[in-house]
Amino acid sequence: MLYRENGQFKTSYSADQQIFPIAQDRWLVGALIALAFVAVPLLASDYLMRAILIPFLIFSLAAVGVNILVGYCGQISLGSGAFMAVGAYGAYNFFVRLPGLPLIPALILGGLCATAFGILFGLPSLRVRGLYLAVATLAAQFFADWMFLRIKWFTMDTPSGSVAVSNLQVFGLPLESAASKYLFCLAVLAVIALLAKNLVRSAIGREWMAIRDMDVAAAVIGIRPMYAKLSAFAVSSFIIGVAGALWAFVYLGAWEPSAFSVDYSFRLLFMVIIGGLGSIMGSFFGAAFIVVLPIALSQFLPAVAGLFGVEISTTAVSHAELMIFGGLIVWFLIVEPHGLAKLWSIGKQKLRLWPFPH
Amino acid sequence: MAFFLETLFGGLMVGMLYSLVALGFVLIFKASGVFNFAQGAMVLFAALAMARFSEWIPQWTGIESKVLANVAAFVLAGALMFAMAWLIERLVLRHLVNQEAATLLMATLGITYFIDGLGQSIFGSNIYKIDIGMPKDPVFVLDSVFEGGLLLNQEDIIAAAIAAGLVIVLSLFFQKTATGRALRAVADDHQAAQSIGIPLNRIWVIVWCVAGLVALVAGMIWGSKLGVQFSLTTVALRALPVVILGGLTSVPGAIIGGLIIGVGEKLSEVYLGPFVGGGIEIWFAYVLALVFLLFRPQGLFGEKIIDRV
């Protein structure tokens, strides 16, 4: 009954092609966005915003980028951490070398650096596919790790390679408090996620999906594989690059090359798997899951162990975390290969009929 | 000249060890089409088990002899790897039959995390030593040809010999035994193999057991060279370009790819490294493999992929 669609008539093509064709969905999403923009900054504590919400927003953004490449275009990539790093260091270099450059153009330029890098390392995808490509993209990761550690030009000749930014401001407003950082990340995420959603619904998005489902067949019906694959790499690495720049500028403030290790590539991939391949909504679920899980476990495991009178050390917690993490990934792949987004759509489907079973 | 040859030999020795890890990848891919990302974690797990058992067994049983303790630890660790192979087949692979290759790859990523966590919580996460009594001293060879001779590490030579031995045994196993033939049949076509009565599940267990054994040998050798610690998993990441270069389905490819990567890494580090700031070992292999893929996507010895709509 909650999802009663009776009386919602679509009388024009534009009404039929809305992102949320059901009125209830529109209200719900509108309410959620309003809640995120207004209520959360007023109510949430600084800790909650700094430790959970800001990482969640930035990882959601990165996961949207990874999802475009892996979920929509089917090119498995293990180099996402490198794209984040290129975005972060690219934005940093523009920010520092061009005095007076505002933050937002710096982020966009960082994203464009990541785009160039992504296209370069996406070139093998024209000849190589599947597992070979997954390993080939690792080259991007290791190359970026090395590049930012060894080539001093990128890090303004600091001996340790660690760099910092300060006095960030957007349109003259300082970006210091947790709430302002949160709102900035949220705004960037909202804009890019909307663009991404529309992109994957468009002709380009359908080309990507055709390539994913079967690239030879797609080429036969007239889709240019080179154009489709490289555009997926470009768009995806732009978004990941912006996310990387946000992560470095807004969340970390000061960082070093090891801040974007290969571990991030894996984590981003897991977000996409657990959230749901080929679903923008799923990227948010996946990011929430991966960000919250370690925090929840580090709180929860010692408490449970305490019930049985066992002391549990922090290293044991981190090992247990790895095991639970791995176990959950396998479990998800076996039980629900389409991730949390699929569960969400099943739930919606059920609600449409509720309370009647048929 | 002598320095060049020393570098070359050093590269070949390291390459042999890469081949050993790469072999684990190839074995599993060949027989089940699964790209086993967990190979690195298995190497770490096996090495940890070996290191800790060889430490614990004398305490438990009072065995004095080091050789005996090492052998017992090897057997026990091997049994553990077999158990792990069986469990992976039972709990994971059996449920993922007929899934896409990408799904299977991600499942092995999950297994990687699980084994990393499990190994470290059972065996501890410090740095451990495996002492299988390999001589550490370098030796000089070919004194008569070059001035001062070539400086080679005995340890490396023995390790390479063990690796070569294992490769020969495995090739014989693949080519000459009935099980080996069954494995190759499964690799070619799951369904056809099943329809002529080859039990798929058992084949998978066998393959993972063999891969576990290879991981154990690789872990033992690397562990005695570098010490057993978490960074051992990166050895597997170093071995990935080897597989790509050699082709995912080719055992000789893994060997030759390993040698090429090992030599390429060392030579590039020594002769190219100083110009670009050093440390290029880490990515050189990857970029080499990547450039190579642009010209021959299936790798050196891989089977040509033919697409049909």
Side-chain angles (χ1 to χ4, degrees):
Chain A
M1 297 291 250
L2 292 171
Y3 262 101
R4 176 166 285 180
E5 293 168 57
N6 296 9
Q8 294 182 27
F9 300 114
K10 299 175 186 97
T11 52
S12 64
Y13 280 122
S14 63
D16 201 31
Q17 289 174 347
Q18 291 181 79
I19 297 180
F20 300 107
I22 303 170
Q24 288 91 330
D25 272 349
R26 278 201 297 281
W27 299 332
L28 184 71
V29 171
L32 260 179
I33 292 174
L35 196 77
F37 269 105
V38 181
V40 171
L42 291 175
L43 297 175
S45 67
D46 265 20
Y47 169 75
L48 186 67
M49 279 197 271
R50 277 186 202 279
I52 297 177
L53 290 176
I54 294 176
F56 159 67
L57 292 174
I58 298 173
F59 274 124
S60 300
L61 187 60
V64 167
V66 178
N67 217 334
I68 283 178
L69 188 60
V70 181
Y72 284 97
C73 198
Q75 311 293 311
I76 309 169
S77 158
L78 293 172
S80 324
F83 300 154
M84 279 180 89
V86 172
Y89 277 99
Y92 170 77
N93 274 296
F94 280 111
F95 193 65
V96 177
R97 285 172 203 276
L98 298 176
L101 186 74
L103 179 59
I104 292 176
L107 291 182
I108 292 173
L109 286 169
L112 289 176
C113 293
T115 306
F117 190 76
I119 290 176
L120 184 68
F121 278 90
L123 283 175
S125 72
L126 306 176
R127 301 228 40 196
V128 186
R129 61 172 67 98
L131 305 167
Y132 283 94
L133 181 67
V135 179
T137 51
L138 269 176
Q141 180 69 48
F142 289 110
F143 188 73
D145 281 356
W146 172 84
M147 185 165 70
F148 294 122
L149 196 64
R150 299 287 177 147
I151 301 180
K152 296 297 179 196
W153 188 84
F154 287 115
T155 52
M156 308 295 278
D157 299 312
T158 48
S160 63
S162 75
V163 295
V165 287
S166 55
N167 296 327
L168 296 177
Q169 43 182 318
V170 182
F171 301 123
L173 301 168
L175 209 60
E176 292 296 328
S177 69
S180 65
K181 287 181 174 179
Y182 166 82
L183 280 174
F184 180 64
C185 292
L186 185 64
V188 174
L189 172 65
V191 170
I192 292 187
L194 186 66
L195 288 177
K197 179 72 192 173
N198 277 317
L199 202 56
V200 296
R201 283 158 13 105
S202 70
I204 298 173
R206 273 197 284 277
E207 281 185 5
W208 291 342
M209 285 187 260
I211 290 285
R212 169 192 67 191
D213 290 340
M214 192 168 192
D215 52 358
V216 182
V220 168
I221 61 167
I223 292 166
R224 287 169 295 170
M226 183 170 98
Y227 177 77
K229 285 179 180 174
L230 287 187
S231 64
F233 263 98
V235 172
S236 148
S237 46
F238 176 79
I239 298 177
I240 301 172
V242 171
L246 274 182
W247 180 252
F249 277 52
V250 178
Y251 180 73
L252 295 174
W255 71 97
E256 50 192 11
S258 63
F260 300 98
S261 62
V262 68
D263 201 42
Y264 278 82
S265 301
F266 292 144
R267 255 160 217 258
L268 285 171
L269 193 60
F270 292 152
M271 282 178 205
V272 174
I273 300 167
I274 290 177
L277 285 162
S279 150
I280 298 288
M281 183 72 99
S283 315
F284 293 96
F285 289 135
F289 193 81
I290 301 271
V291 169
V292 173
L293 184 74
I295 298 172
L297 282 179
S298 65
Q299 305 284 334
F300 178 69
L301 279 179
V304 169
L307 285 180
F308 297 99
V310 187
E311 279 289 315
I312 189 161
S313 65
T314 44
T315 47
V317 170
S318 71
H319 296 154
E321 209 179 285
L322 279 178
M323 287 170 66
I324 293 172
F325 220 72
L328 272 174
I329 289 157
V330 172
W331 186 79
F332 258 102
L333 284 170
I334 291 170
V335 177
E336 186 47 88
H338 297 102
L340 292 168
K342 182 72 178 175
L343 293 180
W344 170 252
S345 70
I346 290 173
K348 267 194 345 193
Q349 207 58 43
K350 296 260 188 242
L351 277 180
R352 282 176 126 162
L353 302 172
W354 185 83
F356 308 110
H358 300 295
Chain B
M1 187 62 191
F3 178 69
F4 172 77
L5 280 178
E6 258 176 42
T7 324
L8 190 74
F9 279 120
L12 283 176
M13 301 297 170
V14 175
M16 208 64 215
L17 297 181
Y18 284 152
S19 323
L20 202 52
V21 182
L23 208 57
F25 286 110
V26 170
L27 283 176
I28 289 183
F29 191 83
K30 221 172 138 60
S32 60
V34 178
F35 189 82
N36 178 27
F37 223 91
Q39 191 66 28
M42 282 165 71
V43 171
L44 174 69
F45 188 88
L48 272 176
M50 172 90 193
R52 297 296 271 171
F53 281 141
S54 66
E55 197 177 307
W56 287 340
I57 284 171
Q59 292 172 10
W60 291 338
T61 56
I63 294 174
E64 295 289 324
S65 149
K66 202 168 178 182
V67 177
L68 216 57
N70 269 325
V71 170
F74 186 84
V75 172
L76 217 56
L80 207 59
M81 295 313 285
F82 287 173
M84 182 190 278
W86 185 76
L87 279 176
I88 289 175
E89 198 279 324
R90 251 300 136 94
L91 298 176
V92 183
L93 293 177
R94 185 166 288 191
H95 301 283
L96 290 172
V97 178
N98 274 338
Q99 296 278 3
E100 285 169 45
T103 314
L104 291 164
L105 167 79
M106 294 173 199
T108 62
L109 269 172
I111 296 173
T112 308
Y113 272 65
F114 190 83
I115 297 177
D116 277 347
L118 184 71
Q120 291 184 77
S121 39
I122 298 176
F123 299 115
S125 47
N126 295 329
I127 301 173
Y128 303 102
K129 272 203 156 62
I130 294 181
D131 185 9
I132 49 173
M134 285 211 272
K136 303 265 181 195
D137 308 318
V139 288
F140 289 96
V141 293
L142 296 175
D143 287 336
S144 49
V145 187
F146 303 107
E147 198 180 329
L150 290 178
L151 191 66
L152 291 184
N153 213 335
Q154 276 189 13
E155 203 181 30
D156 284 344
I157 299 172
I158 295 175
I162 294 177
L166 194 67
V167 167
I168 292 168
V169 169
L170 282 175
S171 316
L172 287 178
F173 172 68
F174 263 95
Q175 299 297 333
K176 301 287 176 195
T177 64
T179 319
R181 266 201 298 282
L183 289 177
R184 281 186 288 144
V186 172
D188 276 349
D189 190 339
H190 287 187
Q191 245 175 358
Q194 229 172 355
S195 65
I196 55 164
I198 295 170
L200 208 54
N201 289 333
R202 199 197 299 162
I203 293 295
W204 278 354
V205 173
I206 291 174
V207 170
W208 279 74
C209 280
V210 173
L213 200 66
V214 172
L216 178 57
V217 174
M220 190 175 75
I221 296 175
W222 278 107
S224 69
K225 246 173 97 85
L226 307 170
V228 180
Q229 52 184 319
F230 189 71
S231 65
L232 206 59
T233 46
T234 56
V235 167
L237 287 180
R238 300 277 283 282
L240 275 179
V242 171
V243 193
I244 291 299
L245 194 69
L248 274 173
T249 48
S250 160
V251 172
I255 314 300
I256 294 170
L259 295 179
I260 293 176
I261 295 280
V263 170
E265 254 184 23
K266 282 277 170 285
L267 289 182
S268 68
E269 181 66 48
V270 171
Y271 290 103
L272 222 62
F275 298 109
V276 289
I280 61 172
E281 262 186 294
I282 299 159
W283 58 263
F284 183 80
Y286 274 93
V287 174
L288 188 73
L290 214 156
V291 171
F292 188 78
L293 280 184
L294 287 176
F295 297 102
R296 209 179 144 80
Q298 69 271 32
L300 213 50
F301 295 96
E303 288 156 32
K304 188 147 178 54
I305 307 154
I306 299 165
D307 289 308
R308 288 188 187 86
V309 178

